[in-house]
């Protein structure tokens, strides 16, 4: 089951496990594989939504900050060639 909290942020939406690429070191070596995407919000923040890249151990390995959930979703869809299907948390 996908966690309700990642990196102390509330999970609002997440994807099923998939292969969303990898995070690389500057040397080109693979740091970790992105297996999930999640849209999250930290407590006490207004208009700040994070698109998290998550590994298979449910650790956040990358993030992007946006003003809206729609921006998170559209960026993910664009970046990952439309292969993103969101599951509402809760």
């Amino acid at each position: 089951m996908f966690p309700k909290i990642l990196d102390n942020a509330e999970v609002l939406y997440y994807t099923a496990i998939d292969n969303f690429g990898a995070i690389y070191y500057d040397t080109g070596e693979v740091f970790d594989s992105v297996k999930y995407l999640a849209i999250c919000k930290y407590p006490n923040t207004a208009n700040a939504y994070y698109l998290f890249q998550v590994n298979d151990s449910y650790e956040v390995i990358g993030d992007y900050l946006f003003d809206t959930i729609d921006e998170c979703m559209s960026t993910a869809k664009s970046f990952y060639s439309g292969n993103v299907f969101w599951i509402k948390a809760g």
Side-chain angles (χ1 to χ4, degrees), residues 68-86:
T68 68
I69 292 172
D70 286 340
E71 285 178 307
C72 291
M73 289 181 170
S74 64
T75 298
K77 184 176 181 181
S78 174
F79 190 76
Y80 297 104
S81 304
N83 294 327
V84 178
F85 301 97
W86 294 106

Side-chain angles (χ1 to χ4, degrees), residues 2-77:
F2 202 85
K4 294 180 180 185
I5 302 290
L6 289 172
D7 194 39
N8 295 318
E10 177 187 5
V11 176
L12 305 174
Y13 294 90
Y14 63 94
T15 63
I17 193 168
D18 204 335
N19 183 14
F20 292 108
I23 304 292
Y24 296 88
Y25 290 109
D26 290 339
T27 62
E29 183 182 351
V30 173
F31 166 68
D32 210 341
S33 296
V34 180
K35 294 299 182 181
Y36 300 93
L37 301 174
I39 298 172
C40 300
K41 185 167 183 51
Y42 286 101
N44 304 317
T45 58
N47 299 327
Y49 298 91
Y50 288 82
L51 175 60
F52 284 164
Q53 297 166 310
V54 182
N55 68 13
D56 58 358
S57 298
Y58 302 112
E59 297 169 321
V60 176
I61 57 173
D63 65 29
Y64 299 95
L65 176 61
F66 295 98
D67 292 331
T68 68
I69 292 172
D70 286 340
E71 285 178 307
C72 291
M73 289 181 170
S74 64
T75 298
K77 184 176 181 181

